[in-house]
Amino acid sequence: MVDVLPLVEARLSTALGEPDARAAVTFLGTDRIEVLRFHEGDVVRYASLGMSAHPMTDPTAMLADPVKGPRVELVLSVRAGLADTDKVLRALAVLAASPQVEGVVVAPGASLDVGEPLWPGAPFSSVLVGEPGGLVEDLALDDPMDPVRFLPLLPMTPNEAAWKRVHGAAALQERWLANGTDLRDPARGSVPLDAGAE
């Protein structure tokens, strides 16, 4: 079996530059998850490394396929220096371990909730999983393995998360777009969600 992670780290470095910090978290019964930090201008990016070592498996499947199935890593981008966002490392590792721990398949449009602020004082405890291909290109692997996709995480306030459950991910993203929401602002407030803003 090919070791996917060195290829994934090389792709991240090609897209984002060399990481300036890394941390590793291991949860009981799971492989180690690393989180790499990259600085680019006034933006800091955190990327998981380890989630794509194994394909994600449908929790209803009788047998896990060790080769085929979606593989992803998570990328979170925030403006640097506005909050203590480095503490997001553990939350990001928790989300990256969720396919192994909870048997979930992380896909665009999904909501992921860590149950506590993403970092100290953060107005967000959950994220919306965005579409891949923008920041880091998919990493093709040898057949029959699926490519590794790099999914951006978009922090959601509790109000936005509740609204998204009712109206869907696309409607929330349209609302953000219409209001010019800076999704990288670590201290931003909730986008207007009242009926009058329709």
Side-chain angles (χ1 to χ4, degrees), residues 26-48:
T26 306
F27 302 99
L28 194 63
T30 69
D31 294 339
R32 189 168 90 141
I33 300 284
E34 284 192 277
V35 177
L36 311 184
R37 185 182 71 188
F38 304 85
H39 269 98
E40 184 186 328
D42 69 340
V43 174
V44 59
R45 304 188 197 281
Y46 303 93
S48 65

Side-chain angles (χ1 to χ4, degrees), residues 71-90:
R71 295 174 189 260
V72 302
E73 296 288 356
L74 307 175
V75 182
L76 174 71
S77 302
V78 290
R79 299 220 172 277
L82 302 177
D84 186 10
T85 56
D86 279 356
K87 297 281 192 342
V88 80
L89 295 173
R90 183 166 177 79

Side-chain angles (χ1 to χ4, degrees), residues 158-172:
N159 282 350
E160 289 169 342
W163 197 85
K164 181 250 172 192
R165 279 194 292 276
V166 175
H167 299 278
L172 178 59

Side-chain angles (χ1 to χ4, degrees), residues 99-165:
Q100 289 185 67
V101 176
E102 299 169 29
V104 297
V105 175
V106 176
S111 300
L112 303 175
D113 196 322
V114 293
E116 59 186 31
L118 293 177
W119 54 83
F124 323 104
S125 63
S126 63
V127 292
L128 175 64
V129 181
E131 293 290 336
L135 194 59
V136 185
E137 281 185 39
D138 292 357
L139 172 65
L141 300 174
D142 296 337
D143 278 342
M145 292 192 286
D146 288 27
V148 178
R149 303 166 87 200
F150 299 87
L151 303 179
L153 299 181
L154 311 171
M156 293 188 291
T157 65
N159 282 350
E160 289 169 342
W163 197 85
K164 181 250 172 192
R165 279 194 292 276

